[in-house]
Each structure stands twice: as C-alpha cells, then as structure tokens.
C-alpha cells in the first residue's frame, strides 16, 4: 500500500510532510509548489490542466484515495481552478447539487474530483469531455470506473 501511495504522491506516506516541514502547514503558494515538485503526476497535471482549460475542456479527475482527493482539492483551489467534489462522504442533496452545479451551462467548475468508490449509479456528468484516472490498479473492483479505452471489468 505504501508503494501505491508513493506512486500517487509521496505526501500520502506518513511522516513525509513532517520531514518536508509542511506538517500542519496551511496550504499556500509555497505549499502548492512543493506538492507539484514532489510528484511527476502532479507536475503533469500542473501543465495539462491549464492547457485543457484554455481549449474549453471540462475534466473528470478520478482517484481511489480520499487522502489524494484532499491534496488535489488544495492544488485546484490554489491554482484557481473551479471544481466540484464527490466521494463516499458526500451524499443525498449535496451530491446532486454538486452534479447540477458542474453540469450547469454557466458553471465555474472546470474539474470534477471523484472518488472511484463514491458509487456511480445515477451520475450524469456529460458536461465533461476529458477523463483523468490519477491512480489505477489492475485489481480495481468492478464498481470502479474503467478507463475510457479499456473494456469494462467483468
């Protein structure tokens, strides 16, 4: 599990933020630069997202780890990207409201953060035209979304 955390972002490993002097730090410009520099995936996102936004794309960004969604949420906020978030902790009206806000014609949300275990029944996010799977696992449970170019798991 620690290897999977390290592959997704080193700050997910216990003790790394402390060693970096960021333990308990309020996310700010310095923090986000350190988050981006610490991970090749974040560096790619930092370059890719502004390009996608400039071309008018809307993005669904999936992760299996709620801890990583927290990091991504801070990253998006500090980079000035509008976003909505849906994971297993968001239910009922809040869930539907986030979906409605993202799908609205005048939406300020550019990215929809999704936990792969949030439950996809009844979710319609056709406003997005780009899907990014931040982390993947060949042993992903069937309830998780399949990458767009891959067959649906049995």
């Amino acid at each position: 599990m620690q290897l999977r955390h390290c592959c997704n972002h080193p700050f997910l490993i216990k003790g790394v933020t402390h060693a970096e002097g960021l333990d308990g730090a309020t996310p700010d410009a310095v923090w986000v630069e350190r988050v981006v520099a610490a991970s090749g995936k974040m560096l790619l996102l930092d370059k890719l997202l502004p390009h996608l936004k400039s071309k008018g794309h809307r993005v669904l960004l999936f992760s299996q780890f709620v801890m990583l969604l927290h990091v991504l949420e801070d990253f998006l906020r500090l980079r000035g990207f509008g976003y909505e978030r849906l994971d297993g902790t968001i239910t009922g009206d809040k869930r539907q409201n986030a979906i409605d806000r993202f799908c609205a014609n005048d939406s300020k949300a550019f990215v929809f953060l999704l936990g792969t275990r949030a439950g996809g029944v009844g979710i319609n996010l056709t406003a997005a035209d780009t899907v990014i799977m931040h982390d993947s696992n060949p042993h992903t449970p069937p309830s998780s979304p399949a990458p767009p170019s891959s067959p649906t798991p049995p």
Side-chain angles (χ1 to χ4, degrees), residues 9-107:
H9 199 286
F11 286 11
L12 301 182
I13 298 172
K14 185 177 181 179
V16 171
T17 55
H18 179 74
E20 290 291 316
L22 298 172
D23 204 19
T26 302
D28 60 8
V30 172
W31 182 91
V32 77
E33 293 304 326
R34 301 273 296 278
V35 166
V36 169
S39 165
K41 288 182 179 186
M42 290 298 289
L43 187 60
L44 179 62
L45 272 180
D46 199 39
K47 293 182 182 305
L48 181 63
L49 290 178
H51 175 74
L52 290 172
K53 186 169 184 174
S54 73
K55 301 291 185 188
H57 294 278
R58 306 277 302 286
V59 177
L60 302 179
L61 180 51
F62 287 91
S63 175
Q64 293 178 336
F65 299 105
V66 173
M67 292 186 319
L68 183 59
L69 290 176
H70 296 320
V71 172
L72 290 168
E73 187 172 22
D74 288 336
F75 164 77
L76 292 171
R77 184 177 47 76
L78 290 166
R79 286 295 195 233
F81 294 120
Y83 67 92
E84 294 292 338
R85 177 177 170 163
L86 182 62
D87 60 38
T89 65
I90 301 168
T91 59
D93 290 340
K94 289 181 181 179
R95 174 186 172 114
Q96 189 58 50
N97 290 340
I99 293 167
D100 293 343
R101 283 190 303 270
F102 184 78
C103 291
N105 290 334
D106 62 344
S107 177

